[in-house]
Structure formats: C-alpha cells, structure tokens
C-alpha cells in the first residue's frame, strides 16, 4: 500500500513538473514523456491520436504472438482513454499493475520491433509506467541495455531515490548505454539487483523469450564467475531461479533450462554446498534428464544435462550418490551410452567411481540397480573400478551369507553371479587381480566355502561338485594353490569331461597361461610337465606363450646366470611341447635359435633338429641334408668352431634365399622383428647373398629390388630410436669387413650396434658389386643399375646419419658413375627430391669439383673438368631456389667451378694444349661470368629475386633493378651476351622440364633475345605441335602437355610477342600467336588450351598491334572476336582486355560486317563453291564458330565496348545497312530451313539473331547519343526512321521494341523532322507496344519516347485530343499494371489540367458506348445503383485511379472540363447514360477524403472553392439542358434528376457559403430564364436544408458546411448582399416566372437569415412596388416577402411604412371591389397556381407591421380596423386560415393602447361596430 501511494504521489509530482519553470499544471505542458516522439512534439499529440498508433503496433505483435491479442480489449481499449491511475482504488491499481507487468514481460522479447515501441508509447502516456512501474519497465528493457532506446527509458524514469536501479543514474546523465559487465558488477555489489534479475527470469507463470533468457543467464554467469568463493547469501538469491528453471512442470523453455544448468555448474564449482542443497540440485537435474531423454532425441542437450550432474558430484565431497536421485537417474533412456560418450571426451572418473560403487551397494537389494550396473559395466570403460567393485560384491556376499541360512545361500547370490560373469567377460585380467587382492588375507580363505555355495547353483561354470571352489582356487594369489588345483584337474580327468563348460575351460586356459608366464621358472617348469597341456590351450596362444618363455630362458642363459639349469630345462621343455603341425609359426619361433651361442648350445642344436621336422619350405630346403655329426657337436665348445658352424648355417640359408628372394623376404623380415638375434641372422643372410651373387647382375638386381626397401626401413627405424652407433674399429673400409668378423661379434652383448654395422656392410657390398659387374649389360640392366645407384644415393643423403656414409657417397660418385655432373644434377634440377637430397647433391658436387680442382694431374682430369664447367647452367636451378640453404650450397658449387675454371685455365696455359676444351668455357668471359655471380653472393643468398635481376642486367638490353650496379650492365657486349645465352640454353634445354621452366623464368625479362635462339624457337614449335596433336582427332600419338610444359609455353609466347617491334615484325612470332588463338572446337577447360591463350592475349598491346600491317591487324582482330565469345570466362575476359587496349579502325569492322553478310548469303542462297573474301580466310574463321550470327554478335559486342574508335559516327550507315539485312526475310529463311541449318551447325533457336538485332540497334543509339547537337542532319534520313518502324512492326520481341524506341528517341533529339512525318505510324506502334510490354524498363522507355514525340505531335496538330483518343482505344489491351503509369506520364507531358478532363470524357464515352451494346443496359437505365457492376468496369475504375495520381487542385478543375465535354456528343440515350455516369463519378470524387483534408488544412482553399463553384454552375446548366430534351424515358429521367440533386447537395456540402452565393449570382446573370429559375429553386432548397441542419442538435461533429450558410461573416455577407442585389434586379426587370421565383427566394432568405442587413431595405422597396401588381400571384408573393422582410428589418423598415400600407390597403380594397364585380373568379382561374389566398398574404403582412411597426400605424389604423372588422373576407367563417390569422391581428391591435384610443376618438366608427370590437377583444 505504501508503495502504491508513493508511486501516485510521484506521478502527481511529475505532472506538476511536466512543463518548464513554475508553470501551472492547468496549462498545456511544453514537453511530455515519450519514447517515439521528441518531448516538445509529444506535447502537441493527444492520447486519442496515440491510441490508434498503439493499436496498429499491437496488431503487428499479435500476428507474431497471439498472447498479445487479449490486451486489445484491456490495456488498449477505448475505455482506457478515460482512466486515471491517480484516482484508482488499491484493488483497481493492483489489477492494472498485474496486467501491465504481464504485458511488459511479453513485450520484452519483441522490443527490437518498431511496433513494440508504439504500444509502449501509449503505456507511458496513459498509464505512466515510467512512474508507477519503474522496476518492471527497467527489467523489460534491461536485455537491450546496449541500445539508445534503453537510455531513453532510463532518462524518462526518476531513479534518484530508487535503491535498486540507482546505479543507472550515470547512464541517464551521460546518455551512454551501460555494458553488460557494468550490470554484472552491480549484481556482485548489490545482491538485490541479482535477485531481481533471477526472479524476473524465473519461469513461474511465464515463459520468456530467448533473448531475455540469454541476457539474464549471461549476467548471472558473469556475476557468479567473477567471485572466487560464493557465500550463502549469493546462493540464496540464485537458487530459486535454478530450481524453477529445472522443474519440468514449470513453463520454462529449453533456454531457461540451459541457463539454469549453467548456473548449477558455477554453483557446484565455486561454492561448498550443503548436503540438502546438493540433494535438491541432483534431484532436480536427474528429474529433468529423465523426462528429456524420454521426450527428445537431442543428444547434445542430454549430454549437457548429464554434465551438470557430473559437475555437482565431482565438485562436491560426495561419497555416495543420493538414493532418491539415483532411483530417477537409472530410469534415463540409454544412460550407459550417454556416460560412455562423455567418458571419451571428459574426465569423469570420480563421478563414475561414485556412481558405480553406489550401484554396487544397492544391487544386492534391488534388481533394477543390478541391471543398470551390468549395463554400465558393458558400456562404460570401468577397468579402473573393477577391483573395488569386485571387493564390494564379495563383501556383500559375505554379509549376506552371515544373515542367510545355508539352504538359501545359492538363491541370495544370483545378483553377484551376473556381475561376475560380465566382469569376467570384459575385464578377466582385472577380475583375477581383484580376486588375488581380496584373498591375500588368509582369514578370508575360511569364507570361500560360503562364497562357493552362493555362486555354485546358477553360475556359468560346470554344475559338478566344487566348481566354484575350483574357480576361486584358480584365481588364488598363491601360485602353489593354482598349481595344485591344475594338477588335480588334469589328474582327475575333469578336463576331459564332455560336460565341461566353456566358461570354466576359459578360466583354466587363462590359469595355464598365467602359470606359464609366472616369474618363478619352477612354476613354469611344473606347468610344462603336465601332459597334454596343449590340448586345453588354443594353439596360437600356446605357441605365443611358449615363444615368450623360450626367449626368456635364452636371454637368461646368455647373461651367464649362475643358476642356468632350470632355464635350460625349461627351454628344453618348451621345444618338446611344440607341435610341428603349425609350420610357419613354429618356423618363425625357431628362426633366432639357429645361430649357435656357447651358453645355449644344446637349445640351438635342438632347434636345428626341430627345424628338420617342420614342413616350412625354407627349412626343409635348407636343412634337409644338413646333418650335424657327433664330432661337430663336441667341437662346438670353441668359439672359432662355433663361428665356423654359424657361417655354415648362414651359407645354407642364404643359398636358399638367393634362389627366390621375393618368396621368402616378407617372412624373413617378420622373423627379424622378433628379437635382435633374429635381425642379426636375417641381415647376415642378405649380406651373404650379396657376396655370393656379386658377379651375377640379374640376381644382384633382384636382391637389391627385394632387400633394399627393408634394409632402408630397418636403418630408419634404428636411426629414429637412436640405436645407431659405431666404434672406431668399425669405421673401416669394405675390405676390412667380412661375415666372419661380424660373426665374432655375435657373442658381444650389443647386438643393436652389430645390426647397424651389418647394414653398412650391406651398402658397401652393393656398391662394390656395382664396380665388379660385367660392363656388357643390356639397356634394361644398365637402367636398373643406375636406378640402384640413385636409390643408394638418396638413402645416403636422406638419412639423418649421413655422416656414416660419406665414404659410400664419395665411392659412388668416383668409382660407380661415368659422369658425376650428370648423376648429381638430376637431384637438384628435377622435381620430387627432398631438400636433404638436394643439399647433399650440391655438397657432393662442390666436394668432387674441389677435388678435381686440387688434383695434381690436371691433364688426366681435363675431361672431368670440362664436364663440370659445362654443367654450370644446371646450377642456375638451385641458385633460384626459394630455400636459402639450397641457394647457399649452390653458391658453393659456383665458387668451386670458378676455382676449377681458374686452375684449369692455368693448366691450359702451362701445357699449351686446348684440344679438350669446349669453346664456350675456354674464354675468359666465361670466367668473368662466374666471377660476377660470385661477387654478388650475398645478394643472391639474401633475396631470391636478385639472381633474375643480375642475369637481366648482365645479359639483357635494359635493366630496371636497383640491386645491381650499372657497371654490371656494361660487362659484356651484345655479341658476348648472345654467346653466353646460347651456351646456357644449349645446355639448359637438355634438363628436365621443371629445370627448363626455372631457367626460362630467370631470363623471362630478356625474352626478346631468347626467342632468337634456334633451340628455344624449336622448343616453342614442338610444344605447340604437341598441343595441337593432342586435340587432333586424326593424330595417333596423343600426349597431353604437363603443367610445367604449359608454363614453359606461356613464357616462350611472351618472349615471342616481345620480339615484335616496328623495326622487326617477325612473321614467325605472329604465326605462333595465331596458332595459340586457334582453340575453337577444343576443350575450353583444358589448361593447355586456356592458359597459353590467356597469356598470348595478355601480350597483345596497342604498340604491338600498331606494328602490324592492315591484313595482319584484320586477322588478329578477327581471331580476337572469336576468342571474345569463347565459353571459358578467363579467355573471354583476356580477349576483352586485349580488344580494349588495341586501336581498331572502323574499317576493320566494316570489312568484317561485309564478310559476315556475304557468308550468310552464300550459306542460304548459293550451292556453288564459296569465295574467300579475305586473305586470312574470314570464311574459315567464321565457320569455326557456331554460326555467322554468333560471330556477328561478338563483333557487335566489341563495337559497343569500343567507344574510342576514331570516326565512330561513320559506322551509322553500315550499321543501318546491317540492320536492314538482319530484319530481312532472307535471314528468316535461314532460320526456317532446319535441315540445312543442322548441316551447317546453325543455331536454329533464333536467339543469336535476336541478340544481333538488339545489339545493332543499341550501338546505333549509343552513337546517336554521343553526337553533338551541331552534327549534320544527313547522318539520319527518313529511310532510317522508316526502317526502324518496319523493324518494330516485324518483331514480336519486347526487348527489341525497347531498343528501337530508344533509338527513335535519340534520333528525335537530333533530327525531329525525320520523325515528324511518320508520327501516326509511330503512335500506332507505341500503342501496340504498350499492350504487350509489362515491365518497368519497357514502361520507362515508352515514357521517354512519348516525352520526345509529344512536342512533335503538338507542333503538327492543334491539340492533344487525337493523341489521347489513340491511347484510349488501346488501353483495354494494355495490362492493368501498365495502364496507370503510362497514362499518368502522358498526361503530365501534355499538361494535366488541359488534358485530364478530355481523357476522362473519352473513358466514359468508351464505357457508355460499350455498355449500351450489352444485354443489361436497360436495367442500368432503370436504376443505376442496382447495377453495381457498372462501377467495376475498368474504365470507371481507371478514371478513379488516374485521378488519384494527381492532387485535387489538379483533377478538380478537370471535372469542369469533363462536364463540358459530355455536352458535345450526339443527343441520344447513350449520351444521357454517359452523363449519368459522369455526374455520379463527379459526385464520388467530391466525397473523397482528399477534398475534406484540403478544406480542413486551409491551404489554397480559395482556388478550391472557386472550382467547386464553377462545377456547381456546370451541373445546374446541365440540369437545365436535360429539361429541354423530350426523348428520354421517364425512369431514366428520374434517375438522372436524382443523381443531379445528389451531386448538387454534395457540392453544397463542401462549399463555403460565400463561394456558394457567388456561384448563384453568376447563374442569375444567364439569359436562359429556365436556368435562372432552376438556380433560384436550388438556392431555396439549399437554405431550407441549412435550416433543417441547424435543428439537428444531436450531431456531435461537423459533417457538412450547409448549416453554416445561415451564419454571415464579413466575407459571406458581401457575397450574400451581391446575390440579393441581383435578386432585387430580377424583381424589377424580369418576366412573371422569374419575378415570382426571385420574390420567393427573397422571402426564403428573409425568413431564414436572422440578420438586419441593409440590403433587405432596398429589397423591401422593390417588393413593395409590386404589391399592387395586377397578377394576384405576384402581388401575394410580394406581400409574403414584405412580411418576411419587415420581420427581419424591424424598425429599419419604417421608411417604407407609408408605401407598404398604401399598397396593402390598395390591394385589399382593390381585391374586394374585384370580387364584387365578379372579376376575382377569372383572375383566380388565371392564377390558379397561387396556393396562398391574397387575403391571407395581406393578413401576414399586417401581422408583421403591427408586430414590428405598430406604434407607427396611426395614419392607417382606421382603415386597417375597418378592413379587419368590416371586410367580409376577413370575418368570414369559410376559410379557417384567414379567420385565425385575422383574429391574431385583431388581438394584436386590441392589446396596443394606441388602438383603443383610436377607436374612441374615431367619429366615423358606428357604436354597434365599436361594441362588437370591444366584445371580441374581451372574448379573446
């Protein structure tokens, strides 16, 4: 209550302070609070104006959300306008607040819409929500805190005393929107703000929008996240939102739940929650996830909900999951799958531990928990929890056994059996470990019996006695127990029982394997001693286990342990236990045992014997005849003998391997992976095989092909693990190595190092074998040998331990290669080699080169020196490499070459022999070239772009680089440069394609010199030929160009075009260019076609084009035209850019036009051999395109683009000629002859022809628009215009029409004379076109043409009627959407005021003419309103629409013209029907809202009123004309009259009285008497209607002006007086009929106007003069009029009292005499139209005189009394009206003192008469 009172007081205070200063509240405030308007502007807007705005916004919101609809009849009803919150009762205030709060909550989600602000504006103005509902208003807008609208809301409210939102005062002052961070920080400072936001977002009875929920959640999360430790007070504020948001029975949306879950995560991680809070949170979230998992399939949402539960459990100190929450959680659909997925992405081990342990605890009492636990174990990774779960299960079983009777123990253990089965299936090893751990305590062994009983009955083990005991014993931690159990099982024959369960068999097998893997070899020995052990264990597992045991024993024996007896026995037992039926696995296991070791001798020999028993082919072939004698066995105690024995074994095995290396290499490789000993033996076999086959090139190559990949893999594997190291003794040459020496190292412990040494020996063996093979080899063998060297070098260079192979590399290069340079260069010039290989090849190049340079025997190394020097061009490739390291090593090679060249030169000078030198490297200039490159070493290494600049400067003609000094440019003369280039490219072009590309790229900027080299030109020709052959259908050898070759072709093309200059236009270069341009018919997507063509097009420049002759220019231009229409966009764009660059003569276009036209004529009309029109065969070029028309279209497109052509206007004549051909029938015939068109590949769709036509017209228009005004008119002639008109007639294409119209418009601007002659034809075409074109562009084109043609039309004719008639006739055929815009534009051109009325008359004439021919015309004549369809006809509707296009000050005067126009037609029924339609239309237009608005606005109102007056005149005139006709049916006449009267009434309603009176005055000056009478009748009727309107007091609003006719202001009085003057003149000067009408009008005016205007005095004089008229009707009318005037004038009529009385008495007594003389009857018959008797009129006049001027009647009183008392007519009883009126007058006289005195003093009055008078006086 206090808050409500305070808010009301605040509202009152705000009203008092609504204005400025100390203004009183009764005055209108200067400003008002508003969200939509400026405060000052809002002060001028009342609530009734705002309510419709708010309702319109509410309707928009209701369409989005139907909940808004209910507020339409509450908050926004019209009744709300009268509400006053300050006067409400508390109950009413509470209801309003509740409604406003709910509306603001709903509105909060739509505040970005302008419609919401409209509704809010009304709430502010009507309900003052910014005063009474501040909290709800701020919360509503708070999600939009960063908008200026929020700032305006804050500024509207008074927050100075608001404790909650006072922090927003800063926003109110600064006008800056607050950030969300500010609001979040305030929440941490003031928990009330946080509570308000939480309460607002809580979904108790309302569901907020997403935006509101997102904001509130973000603020809460940001506020809570900024606090290190949350206190209880903060949590109390937030928990209601969380619990309500998670409640599935609340109205909260998914977004609300998501926000609540986010807050839950923060609370759990930042606060220590009370256990009750934890239970409530877990209960809420589990209830939510249960419901959502059953209703939705949105996995991310389920995962997020589950993560909230996990966060609570893992963040709080929980030891057990609450049972209430767990009971709900286990009902979640696919809970195990959800947890399994989350465990993969997140660390939820703590949760899983608590969850699984809690399930385990409850599993014994509830089967649902047990099933959930089993499902979880099957799905969730639970390896780490098996031990604790097993312990809990066993402990629970023990507890149950103590509480349960022995007879029922097996029933109580069912749940445990199920759990153990699942664990044993998935985690058998962990289960055994858990069992061992559980039974470590010796006390628990006594309880095994109880466990066995519980688990026996339904456990998945044999049902024999003591199965569970066996099971537990086999899991016992003590090996002796397990051993004893196994022994008893084997001895009892249990394992042979057919009923032995497979589960127990698996347990026994696992136990056996565990026994064999036991650390205690005695246990292993005992287990192996069991007979038929392999029967119970699967063979594979058994062999694997035996192998592990055997290798373990071998390792123990080799280490020299003191107790070697047991390992030896176990190893022997292992070999004995092996079955030889599985030959491959056994052979693999026995492989490492074949190398005899002193400490494992017996085992090795036993293995050799066992190998003979296997069926493995490798062993059976190797050891079938391998017999070990007794002596050999006895001598094997000596190491030398052992080495010899091992060598013998290796030789035997290598021989078998050499016979078929590919068959056994994979198996031997797998064997080598078992152990280091196996790998030793494997490598020994390969090494021995190489030595054996060193002379056999075939076997050697096969061995390399098979073994090298494996050797390389082994080396890489050892290098990656860091297992490669050598002793100094090992780093020796090949001759120091032998297998025997390596075998001696077998007895050392470092077998890994021995493997590395063997691999090095293998590599040496391969290299040495290469030097010893026979030189007479086939090409294939030589190729394979070279491939072997390449692979070896790549292996040496790419290994990280390449330092171990330095000698190998040097040996390979010096002893194995015939050409070191050729061998090495491919590694740094070709693609596909790693950086290590490239670096090593360059390093080797420099090393060998330096070695040759420092060699003393220069003459002997001359050949090598020359080879190195000649190989210089290949070094340009690595010198330009992007990697600096490679450039560095390449520069080292250049330095080595320079040093070699220096030494070589000195040697030559010394010996005087030059027979071995090559010309190019023998000159000092070559050394100078190397020296210059060497001098720029630092630049080349620092910048990869330096080398091209350096070479360009040295060998090119022009240099633009700032990196190279100018001296370098002058280092060589041109001849030397050419020589050097020839030398470089003679060698470089022999390199691989990628190297060629690199070298060409280096010299790209001096391409002009390059293309002169014959080898380069030959390469270009070969590439072009290869390119063309690939796409040649007749070519048999088709090889596609590679990407590198395409790049080379592009560079060479650039160089070729660069060689073209004015002084040297090389024909071959142009031929190359043209060859590249020939791509028609080829694939437009092949890079080999597209890229060279694009590059060639990019090289076409204006300067190059100008260097060519006319024929070549035409040929190139024709090819560019072809490329311009290519389907590939890149080619098309490049061709366009090339065309725009070159300067094409207009003659070239003319030639091509002529060639195309001649080609088309030959195609259609000639079967003879076609003639070539040009040297370059234009016909062939055109025919390579789809059609000549397509070629023409491309040419026209280019002409349109090339606006810079000199003398472009000269193209007008040829283009018109072309246009004539394009529209000729010949071309049409071409496209109609389908068969011939198909054979010639013509486009029969006709689209290309239409495009060509349109483009030709467009170009003509463009040229015409570019011509200056002073251009000669001869550029265009009448034939051109006639051609365009014929073209427009012949085509049906809308776009073509538009282009023709644009061209005609352009021609009209230049030469209107050419167009004016064809104006009728043009208008006909425009009208026809308007019926077909319905788009905006066509409309605009048509309008532009009309705007140009109309002046021409008007200049030829007198007016625009014919033009409007033409367009009116074609309007029905024009689409409705086009009619209005077209005619509006035409009318604006012609002048709306002059032409609109005429056009409207044409429309109604068309409607009447058409309707008169319809069947329902007679019904329309009877009643127009009953025929409503007439007003839906298009003419009528169009008339309304066309008027709506203009303001009323334009169309209103046109209505006058319309009314005038309908009088010019022939008089008939149709004409009158047309008049009715027009009058109805005019009446409807005068009733439109625009007229009302204009009248209320007061702007230009005088002109408007004058127009209305003119319309009124025209209507009255038409009304009179109608009366003069007699051939109109009566029904239609009535209808006509009704509409006329309605129209006049409508006009009167909107006219001001002053203008009305002026209009009537103008009508009164007409000569037509009937018209004047009609006007006077209309005036009287209007005045009477005004009187009636004055009497309708119930009307609240002004609807008509007519009731104000009786109010005469200054302006109206002036018009009124003028009208009355004219009426007075009519009384004096007019005939009988007009006079009577004028007098009646004056009577009406005087009766209705309560005014004493002086104009009535003069009027009274005129009327009085005619009282004595011989025409009784006139006399009677004058008397009545005089009566009315006297009543109006009062005392002002005194000057005329004498004349009035004289004339009245004369008329009264004159009438009496006539009666006596029987003349009255005749006059009465003659004037039968007089409805009121003359006597009555006299009485009316006397009544008025006595009433107003009675005191001045003394001179006439006697006569008056005699008349009233003695005159028979006035005392007669025959006429009740006269009797009554006479009595009234007598009474008036009797009540006057002057009347009594006159009677007394009158001597002539008889006494009897006096008595009668007195009697009648007293009687009355």
């Amino acid at each position: 209550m206090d808050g409500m009172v305070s808010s009301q007081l605040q509202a009152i205070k705000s009203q008092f302070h609504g204005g400025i200063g100390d203004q009183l509240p009764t005055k209108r405030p200067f400003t008002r609070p508003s969200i939509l308007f400026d405060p000052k502007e809002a002060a001028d807007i009342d609530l009734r104006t705002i309510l419709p705005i708010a309702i319109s916004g509410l309707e928009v919101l209701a369409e989005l959300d139907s909940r808004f609809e209910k507020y339409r009849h509450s908050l926004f009803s019209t009744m709300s306008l009268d509400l006053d919150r300050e006067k409400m009762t508390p109950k009413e205030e509470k209801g309003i607040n509740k409604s406003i709060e709910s509306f603001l909550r709903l509105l909060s989600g739509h505040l970005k819409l302008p419609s919401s602000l409209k509704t809010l504006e009304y709430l502010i103005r009507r309900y003052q929500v910014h005063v009474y509902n501040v909290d709800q208003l701020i919360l509503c807008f708070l999600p939009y805190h960063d908008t200026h609208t929020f700032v305006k809301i804050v500024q509207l409210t008074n927050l100075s005393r608001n404790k909650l939102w006072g922090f927003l005062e800063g926003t109110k002052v600064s006008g800056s929107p607050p950030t969300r961070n500010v609001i979040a920080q305030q929440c941490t400072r003031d928990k009330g703000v946080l509570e308000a936001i939480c309460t607002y977002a809580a979904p108790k009875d309302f569901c907020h929008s997403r935006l509101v929920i997102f904001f509130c959640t973000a603020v809460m999360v940001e506020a809570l996240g900024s606090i290190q430790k949350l206190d209880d007070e903060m949590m109390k504020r937030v928990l209601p939102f969380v619990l309500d948001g998670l409640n599935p029975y609340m109205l909260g949306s998914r977004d609300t739940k998501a926000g609540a879950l986010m807050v839950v995560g923060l609370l759990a991680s930042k606060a220590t929650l009370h256990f009750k809070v934890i239970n409530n949170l877990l209960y809420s979230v589990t209830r939510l996830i249960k419901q959502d998992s059953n209703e939705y399939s949105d996995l991310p949402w389920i995962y997020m909900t589950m993560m909230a539960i996990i966060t609570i459990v893992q963040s709080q100190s929980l030891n057990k999951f609450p049972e209430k929450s767990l009971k709900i959680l286990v009902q979640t659909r696919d809970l195990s799958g959800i947890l399994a997925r989350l465990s993969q992405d997140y660390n939820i081990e703590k949760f899983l531990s608590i969850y699984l342990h809690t399930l385990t605890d409850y599993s014994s009492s509830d089967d649902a928990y047990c099933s959930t636990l089993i499902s979880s174990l099957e799905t969730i990774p639970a390896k780490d929890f098996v031990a604790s779960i097993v312990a809990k299960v066993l402990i629970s079983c023990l507890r149950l056994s103590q509480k349960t009777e022995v007879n029922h123990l097996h029933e109580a253990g069912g749940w445990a059996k199920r759990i153990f089965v699942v664990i044993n299936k998935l985690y058998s090893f962990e289960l055994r470990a858990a069992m061992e751990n559980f039974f470590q305590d010796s006390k628990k062994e006594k309880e095994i019996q109880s466990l066995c009983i519980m688990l026996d009955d339904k456990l998945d083990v044999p049902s024999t006695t003591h199965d569970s005991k066996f099971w537990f014993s086999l899991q016992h931690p003590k090996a002796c127990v397990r051993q004893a159990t196994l022994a008893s099982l084997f001895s009892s024959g249990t394992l042979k029982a057919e009923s032995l369960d497979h589960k127990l068999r698996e347990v026994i097998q696992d136990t056996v394997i565990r026994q064999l893997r036991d650390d205690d070899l005695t246990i292993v020995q005992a287990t192996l001693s069991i007979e038929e052990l392999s029967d119970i264990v699967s063979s594979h597992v058994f062999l694997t286990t035996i192998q592990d045991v055997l290798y373990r024993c071998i390792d123990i024996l080799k280490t020299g342990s003191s107790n070697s007896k047991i390992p030896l026995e176990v190893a022997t037992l292992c070999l004995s236990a092996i079955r030889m039926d599985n030959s491959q696995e056994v052979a693999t296991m026995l492989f490492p045992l074949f190398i005899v070791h002193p400490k494992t001798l017996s085992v090795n020999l036993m293995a050799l014997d066992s190998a003979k028993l296997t069926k493995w082919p490798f062993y059976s072939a190797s050891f079938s005849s391998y017999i070990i004698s007794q002596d050999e066995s006895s001598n094997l105690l000596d190491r030398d003998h052992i080495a010899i024995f091992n060598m013998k074994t290796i030789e035997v095995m290598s021989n078998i391997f050499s016979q078929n290396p590919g068959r056994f290499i994979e198996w031997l490789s797998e064997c080598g992976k078992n152990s280091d000993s196996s790998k030793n033996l494997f490598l020994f076999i390969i090494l021995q095989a190489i030595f054996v086959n060193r002379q056999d090139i075939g076997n050697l190559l096969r061995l390399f092909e098979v073994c090298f990949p494996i050797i390389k893999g082994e080396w890489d594997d050892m290098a990656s693990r860091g297992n490669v190291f050598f002793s100094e003794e090992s780093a020796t040459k090949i001759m120091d190595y032998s297998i025997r020496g390596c075998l001696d190292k077998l007895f050392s412990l470092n077998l890994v190092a021995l493997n590395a040494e063997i691999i090095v020996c293998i590599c040496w063996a391969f290299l040495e074998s290469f030097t010893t093979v026979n030189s007479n080899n086939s090409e294939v063998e030589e190729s394979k040998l070279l491939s072997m060297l390449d692979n070896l070098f790549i292996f040496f260079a790419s290994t990280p331990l390449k330092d171990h192979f330095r000698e190998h590399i040097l040996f390979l290069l010096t002893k194995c290669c015939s050409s070191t340079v050729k061998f090495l260069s491919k590694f740094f010039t070709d693609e596909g080699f790693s950086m290590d290989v490239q670096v090593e090849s360059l390093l080797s190049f420099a090393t060998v080169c330096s070695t040759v340079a420092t060699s003393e025997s220069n003459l002997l190394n001359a050949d090598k020196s020359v080879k190195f020097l000649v190989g210089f061009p290949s070094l340009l490739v690595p010198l330009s490499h992007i990697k600096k390291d490679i450039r560095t090593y390449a520069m080292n090679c250049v330095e080595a070459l320079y040093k070699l060249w220096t030494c070589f030169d000195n040697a030559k000078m010394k010996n005087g022999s030059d027979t071995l030198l090559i010309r190019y490297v023998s000159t000092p200039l070559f050394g100078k070239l190397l020296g210059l490159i060497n001098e720029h070493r630092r630049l080349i290494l620092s910048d990869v772009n330096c080398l091209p600049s350096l070479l360009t400067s040295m060998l090119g003609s022009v240099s633009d680089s700032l990196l190279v000094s100018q001296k370098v440019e002058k280092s060589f003369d041109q001849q030397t440069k050419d020589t050097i280039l020839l030398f470089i490219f003679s060698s470089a072009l022999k390199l691989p394609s990628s190297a060629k590309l690199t070298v060409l790229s280096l010299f790209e900027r001096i391409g002009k010199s390059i293309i002169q080299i014959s080898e380069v030109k030959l390469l270009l020709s070969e590439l072009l030929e290869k390119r063309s052959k690939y796409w040649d259908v007749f070519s048999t050898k088709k090889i596609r160009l590679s990407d590198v070759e395409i790049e080379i072709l592009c560079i060479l093309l650039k160089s070729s075009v660069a060689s073209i200059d004015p002084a040297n236009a090389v024909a071959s270069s142009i031929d190359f260019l043209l060859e590249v341009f020939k791509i028609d018919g080829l694939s437009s997507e092949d890079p080999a076609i597209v890229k060279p063509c694009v590059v060639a097009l990019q090289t076409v420049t204006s300067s190059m084009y100008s260097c060519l002759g006319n024929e070549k220019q035409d040929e190139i231009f024709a090819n560019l035209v072809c490329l311009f229409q290519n389907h590939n966009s890149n080619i098309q764009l490049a061709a366009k850019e090339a065309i725009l660059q070159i300067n094409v003569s207009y003659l070239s276009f003319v030639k091509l036009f002529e060639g195309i036209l001649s080609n088309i004529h030959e195609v259609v009309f000639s079967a003879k051999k076609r003639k070539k029109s040009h040297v370059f065969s234009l016909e062939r070029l055109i025919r390579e395109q789809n059609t000549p028309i397509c070629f023409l279209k491309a040419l026209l497109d280019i002409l349109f683009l090339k606006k810079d052509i000199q003398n472009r206007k000269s193209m007008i004549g040829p283009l018109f000629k072309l246009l004539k051909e394009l529209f000729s029938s010949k071309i049409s015939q071409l496209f109609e002859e389908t068969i011939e068109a198909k054979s010639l590949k013509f486009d029969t769709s006709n689209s290309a022809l239409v495009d060509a036509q349109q483009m030709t017209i467009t170009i003509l228009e463009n040229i015409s628009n570019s011509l200056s005004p002073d251009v000669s008119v001869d550029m265009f002639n009448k034939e051109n215009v006639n051609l365009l008109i014929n073209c427009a007639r012949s085509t049906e294409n809308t776009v073509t029409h538009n282009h023709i119209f644009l061209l005609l418009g352009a021609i009209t601007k230049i030469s209107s004379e050419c167009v004016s002659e064809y104006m009728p034809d043009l208008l006909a075409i425009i009208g026809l076109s308007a019926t077909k074109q319905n788009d905006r562009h066509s409309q605009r084109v048509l309008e532009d043409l009309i705007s140009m043609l109309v002046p021409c039309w008007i200049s030829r004719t007198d007016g625009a009627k014919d033009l409007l008639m033409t367009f009116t006739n074609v309007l029905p055929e024009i689409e409705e959407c086009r009619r209005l815009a077209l005619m509006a534009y035409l009318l604006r051109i012609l002048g709306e005021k002059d032409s609109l009325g005429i056009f409207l008359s044409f429309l109604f004439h068309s409607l009447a003419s058409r309707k008169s021919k319809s069947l329902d015309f007679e019904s329309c004549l009877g009643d127009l309103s009953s025929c409503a369809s007439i007003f839906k006809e298009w003419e009528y509707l169009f008339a309304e629409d066309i008027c709506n296009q203009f303001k009323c000050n334009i169309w209103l005067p046109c209505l006058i013209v319309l009314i005038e126009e309908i009088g010019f037609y022939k008089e008939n029924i149709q004409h009158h029907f047309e008049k009715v339609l027009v009058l109805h239309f005019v009446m409807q237009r005068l009733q439109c809202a625009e007229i009302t608005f204009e009248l209320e606005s007061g702007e230009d109102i005088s002109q408007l009123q004058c127009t209305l007056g003119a319309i009124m005149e025209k209507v009255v005139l038409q009304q009179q004309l109608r009366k003069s006709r007699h051939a109109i049916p009566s029904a239609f006449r009535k209808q006509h009259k009704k509409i006329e009267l309605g129209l006049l009434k409508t006009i009167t309603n909107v006219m001001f009285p002053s203008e009305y009176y002026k209009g009537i005055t103008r009508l009164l000056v007409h000569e037509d008497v009937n018209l004047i009478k009609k006007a006077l009748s209309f005036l009287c009727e209007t005045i009477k209607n005004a009187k009636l309107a004055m009497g309708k007091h119930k009307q609240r609003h002004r609807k008509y002006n007519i009731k104000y006719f009786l109010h005469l202001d200054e302006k109206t009085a002036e018009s009124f007086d003028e009208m009355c003057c004219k009426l007075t003149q009519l009384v004096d000067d007019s005939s009988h009929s007009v006079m009577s009408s004028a007098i009646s009008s004056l009577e009406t005016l005087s009766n209705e106007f309560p005014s004493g205007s002086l104009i009535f005095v003069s009027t009274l004089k005129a009327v009085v003069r005619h009282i004595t008229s011989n025409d009784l009707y006139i006399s009677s009318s004058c008397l009545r009029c005089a009566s009315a005037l006297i009543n109006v004038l009062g005392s002002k009529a005194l000057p005329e009292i004498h004349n009035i009385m004289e004339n009245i008495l004369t008329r009264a007594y004159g009438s009496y005499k006539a009666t006596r003389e029987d003349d009255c009857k005749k006059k009465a018959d003659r004037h039968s139209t007089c409805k009121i008797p003359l006597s009555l009129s006299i009485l009316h006049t006397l009544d008025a005189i006595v009433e107003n001027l009675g005191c001045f009647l003394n001179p006439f009183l006697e006569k008056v009394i005699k008349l009233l008392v003695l005159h028979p007519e006035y005392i007669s009883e025959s006429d009740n009206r006269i009797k009554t009126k006479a009595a009234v007058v007598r009474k008036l006289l009797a009540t006057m003192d002057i009347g009594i005195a006159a009677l007394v003093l009158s001597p002539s009055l008889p006494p009897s008469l006096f008595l009668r008078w007195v009697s009648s006086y007293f009687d009355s």
Side-chain angles (χ1 to χ4, degrees), residues 723-762:
N723 293 335
V724 179
F725 50 88
F726 296 98
S727 62
E728 294 182 0
E729 181 183 356
S730 301
T732 57
K733 292 185 179 181
I734 184 63
M735 60 282 303
D736 296 330
Y737 278 101
S738 63
I739 298 179
R740 176 62 184 276
C742 293
L743 286 173
D744 292 337
K745 297 181 181 182
L746 276 173
F747 307 128
S748 64
L749 296 178
N750 195 349
L751 297 181
V752 176
L754 178 59
N755 289 332
E757 293 182 13
I758 298 173
I759 291 176
V760 172
C761 287
I762 290 173

Side-chain angles (χ1 to χ4, degrees), residues 113 145 431 523 534 829 1137 1428 1492 1586 1674 1772:
L113 300 175
H145 59 89
L431 176 61
I523 301 297
S534 58
T829 59
E1137 293 177 354
T1492 305
I1674 297 296
S1772 173

Side-chain angles (χ1 to χ4, degrees), residues 666-683:
E666 185 176 353
W667 172 74
L668 289 174
S669 176
E670 290 296 324
C671 292
K673 295 177 182 179
N674 288 335
S675 63
D676 294 330
S677 300
S678 300
K679 192 169 294 183
N680 289 151
L681 179 57
F682 168 57
L683 294 176

Side-chain angles (χ1 to χ4, degrees), residues 1699-1711:
N1699 293 330
I1700 295 173
M1701 292 305 299
E1702 287 288 342
N1703 291 337
I1704 290 175
L1705 294 174
T1706 302
R1707 171 50 61 191
Y1709 288 104
S1711 174

